[in-house]
Amino acid sequence: MRLHEADDGALARVRVPGGILSVPQAEALAAAARRFGDGDLHLTSRGNVQLRALEAGCGGELAGLLGAAGLLPSHLHERVRNVVASPLAGLDGRGHGDVRPWLRTLDGMLCGSESAHALSGRFLFALDDGRGDMTDLGADVTLTAGGEGTAWLRAGPGHAPAVQVPSSAAPLAALLTAEAFLQTPAARAGQAWRIGELPDGIDELTDTVLRRLDGSGVAATTSPEPPGPRTSGPPPPGAVHGPHGDAALSVLAPMGRIEAAQWDTLVSVAARTGHRELRLTPWRGLVLPGVPADAAAEHLRVLASAGLITDPASHLSGVGSCIGRPGCAKSLADVRSDAAALTGPGRLPVHWSGCERRCGHPRGDRVEVVAVPEGYRVSVDLDGRTRSATTTGRAAVAAHVAAARTSSPEDRTP
């Protein structure tokens, strides 16, 4: 609803809660990209889509096209519909089932809340099916399925006490947490846009949430940390087989960008699956569910032929970048081209940034490559700390990135 100006034209960010797109919605996005922009779809680290190089003054027509496809259910709340979800939920037999009922309910509650529209566009909800893949995304509100009809709510990105609620009340608990945050003095004064920015921590916020849940008739208890595994990172590219003879196809977008013809191929494959949907992931990838297991290999071959990443051994698997030059005036380099040409295979994900803002950089263990006036700064981030950093000229950056990607857990700083 609000276009942003960039060097390559206007930019629109389309929120896709949970990353779930129906085939008609995916077709509408393609039509919008071709009609108003560069024809490509740019995936974000929140499972959303950016449309770039848009024509000046196209906002009204763009909103009409997206609204007709069900992608703008509320003009007032559009910027706060930031929800990520476990992309393999309900598909591979792991976790505690499908989180889409949570997703639909929470999105509806957000759009119906009289106060939630005041949340920052940076505020993030995460829905975890219990496998732990949402743990390291730094969400403001994380819901984790606990099994046996329970759910855990954690406010903030750290290790705050978790609140256990009935699974049926999980979306309400998430909304009450967001609304309680908006009533904190720091949020009301514009000093905190996200829960992790509260100057006095979140103990008082948690107490407020418990009182509001009790007032809504929801039984809740607290625990130091919700039980369950922690699975860091995206599903690997390839076929993910489910327990009922079907499979999901996991693919990555090279540099987070999907060209128009590649998107058409993805939509064509999705249209032939049982679910007829695409799931965008927070790792700039997609999952196509509902593929017959015996057809998975052929579909992957078609997607690979289109230029999408379907093999975890690809040197571009786990490699991302900001838009860089010429799309961004602040960028010091054409980082997309350099990332594709100068990154070899390795264990750690790597993100290339054209300036110190590091737009779209992932969380978790990673290699950061940041353009600086002298060339590039290559650093290794493990457990939230920078273990090492080296500044080098462009001619030597490939060797430094290759060495950094081989860093192992034993290299972590105590």
Side-chain angles (χ1 to χ4, degrees):
M1 296 298 297
R2 180 189 300 174
L3 302 184
H4 304 271
E5 290 301 322
D7 270 21
D8 57 352
L11 178 155
R13 182 175 294 113
V14 183
R15 268 76 177 185
V16 185
I20 295 179
L21 287 169
S22 67
V23 166
Q25 288 174 332
E27 291 172 337
L29 281 172
R34 284 190 170 100
R35 180 174 173 185
F36 302 113
D38 60 7
D40 299 340
L41 293 103
H42 305 257
L43 307 189
T44 78
S45 59
R46 292 186 164 195
N48 293 324
V49 172
Q50 286 184 354
L51 305 178
R52 299 191 66 97
L54 299 173
E55 301 171 359
C58 74
E61 289 184 86
L62 175 62
L65 191 158
L66 299 178
L71 291 167
L72 289 177
S74 169
H75 289 186
L76 184 62
H77 298 80
E78 183 272 332
R79 293 180 64 242
V80 304
R81 299 171 63 237
N82 296 306
V83 188
V84 293
S86 300
L88 292 177
L91 300 179
D92 62 352
R94 299 179 59 192
H96 297 292
D98 199 346
V99 296
R100 285 180 297 178
W102 280 359
L103 177 63
R104 289 189 291 267
T105 302
L106 176 59
D107 193 28
M109 285 180 169
L110 277 174
C111 292
S113 169
E114 294 184 0
S115 61
H117 67 87
L119 291 169
S120 160
R122 299 179 182 178
F123 199 95
L124 180 65
F125 298 87
L127 310 183
D128 192 312
D129 70 348
R131 72 184 65 218
D133 58 345
M134 299 288 106
T135 302
D136 294 331
L137 296 185
D140 295 274
V141 179
T142 301
L143 293 178
T144 303
E148 299 182 355
T150 64
W152 295 89
L153 178 143
R154 188 176 68 250
H159 298 284
V163 177
Q164 186 182 40
V165 296
S167 180
S168 59
L172 174 62
L175 177 66
L176 291 178
T177 302
E179 292 179 333
F181 163 74
L182 288 172
Q183 293 303 310
T184 62
R188 296 180 70 177
Q191 299 171 347
W193 288 4
R194 305 193 63 185
I195 287 179
E197 297 170 355
L198 290 175
D200 300 322
I202 64 171
D203 288 344
E204 185 175 342
L205 175 66
T206 300
D207 291 341
T208 301
V209 171
L210 288 170
R211 289 194 300 271
R212 293 190 177 191
L213 286 169
D214 182 66
S216 299
V218 177
T221 58
T222 59
S223 171
E225 182 74 12
R230 293 167 65 97
T231 305
S232 179
V240 181
H241 292 278
H244 304 299
D246 59 354
L249 307 181
S250 173
V251 301
L252 296 174
M255 300 300 136
R257 178 178 182 174
I258 302 182
E259 298 175 355
Q262 293 172 330
W263 188 260
D264 289 344
T265 301
L266 282 162
V267 174
S268 175
V269 172
R272 298 196 296 272
T273 66
H275 288 238
R276 287 181 55 82
E277 73 179 25
L278 303 87
R279 299 187 183 184
L280 310 179
T281 79
W283 302 280
R284 295 181 172 87
L286 301 98
V287 169
L288 307 183
V291 176
D294 58 2
E298 176 58 21
H299 284 314
L300 286 173
R301 186 194 64 77
V302 170
L303 295 171
S305 296
L308 296 162
I309 300 171
T310 63
D311 183 352
S314 168
H315 75 284
L316 291 180
S317 180
V319 180
S321 76
C322 68
I323 192 66
R325 288 182 177 173
C328 176
K330 295 183 180 296
S331 180
L332 300 178
D334 181 359
V335 288
R336 282 195 169 183
S337 296
D338 283 351
L342 302 176
T343 308
R347 187 188 68 84
L348 285 177
V350 57
H351 185 78
W352 292 66
S353 301
C355 72
E356 296 288 355
R357 295 185 305 166
R358 299 180 300 132
C359 294
H361 72 276
R363 292 182 175 268
D365 294 350
R366 64 191 183 276
V367 176
E368 292 265 11
V369 187
V370 180
V372 294
E374 309 94 296
Y376 281 104
R377 185 181 68 249
V378 182
S379 61
V380 178
D381 284 24
L382 299 174
D383 289 333
R385 297 182 179 182
T386 300
R387 186 187 64 84
S388 64
T390 302
T391 299
T392 182
R394 184 181 182 277
V397 70
H400 286 282
V401 172
R405 292 199 83 185
T406 63
S407 300
S408 64
E410 289 74 21
D411 298 325
R412 287 183 166 91
T413 301

